[in-house]
Amino acid sequence: MNSTTSFAAMPDEQGYFGAYGGQYVPPELKQVMDDINSAYEEIRQMPEFQQELASLFADYVGRPSPIFHARRLSEQLGGAQILLKREDLNHTGAHKINHCLGEALLAKHMGKKKVIAETGAGQHGVALATACALVGIPCEIHMGQVDIEKEHPNVVKMKILGCDLIPVTRGTATLKDAVDSAFEEYLKNPQDFIYAIGSVVGPHPFPKMVRDFQSIIGNEAREQCLNKYKRLPDVVTACVGGGSNAIGMFTAFLNDSQVRLVGVEPAGEGLDTDRHAATLTMGKPGVIHGMACYVLADEEGNPDPVHSIASGLDYPGIGPQHSYLKDLGRVQYDSVTDKETLDAFMRLSRVEGIIPALESAHAVAWAIRSAPTLQPHQQILVNLSGRGDKDVDYVAGLLGL
Ligand SMILES: Cc1ncc(COP(=O)(O)O)c(C=O)c1O
């Protein structure tokens, strides 16, 4: 981590963040990825595109999302003040809509005939189906059977929004298998289809593009903190699945060396078991889904079956930029268990009247654990990446409510 420009210039022309990223794809796909990169670089220089995106963010998504001071929770914990960036209030209930609108507009600009994607918790699927309905492009979403059963409200929403929902039963029937399945469909006609990846993962240019669309979160939050509190927060934290909400939040703060950045991974049933998805904490460098990054894999490099209580976090890979930021030490990656997450889910609901997504509850759990170690004049800004409507039946089942 050197100068301001080292972060701003990432990735390099080949899509590398240090040793991570790149395009680990068959040669015929490389050209397709380069075309997407060129189209993206072209469109993002166009004032009409930026204006269209800005007006959709304001009038359709409801941005800027507010920052809420969780006073009662902070008082109970007796340490740092907890601030919540309310991405849960966005149209469709999570941060995913930020990059889906960008990806759908890009697909339209490139004249693509179908948008394909995977989804874990269903948030990316709902957001993409929404964006495709708005822009007027057919959309096909691949989802693991396990997640289909767990995230029923989002499954119904995707169908109502008019997308083709493809159940995936192979492997563990969760997020990684959904990515494999969606990718196979995409390979049938990459000229006419576009794979709208749901996080800052996959081959270049997706980690860059999704990050750029998500950077609105941190740009807004930084300005809101300066306006409202006349200072930057001491700590900024976010949950990490593929890493899109976290990088969207962290990007604006990367050069503020006094601000501690913490990504929170799912420790599932414990890091000492094989039932977790803490890729950066327990994994090692490898290749998955077209990119070099940290991976949870066996000796041959085959991805491990992973687990998290949150469907959107149980992924054995991680965005290449996070892999790089971990090695640099600019972002710390910690983890919380399913149990801590469930406790945080219930506590935020009962103390602040906000039901968080199980994914976001990981970041809340980390803040609950960490606030008492800090002073009351200090602040922890939590990216509340999504709302928990999709999770209420699942949690009610777990807790017998
Ligand atoms: C609400 C919410 N937060 C976080 C995530 C994890 O994704 P990412 O790490 O890309 O933000 C998901 C994924 O489904 C999600 O639905």
Side-chain angles (χ1 to χ4, degrees), residues 106-121:
L106 177 69
K108 184 97 175 164
H109 173 76
M110 293 185 77
K112 299 288 183 183
K113 297 192 172 61
K114 182 164 83 173
V115 177
I116 300 170
E118 83 296 339
T119 194

Side-chain angles (χ1 to χ4, degrees), residues 94-96 121 123 198-199 239-245 312-313 357 359-360 385-386 390:
H95 66 294
K96 299 280 179 185
Q123 285 303 132
S199 190
C239 68
V240 184
S244 66
N245 87 90
L313 303 186
E359 290 77 12
S360 326
S385 55
K390 66 184 179 56

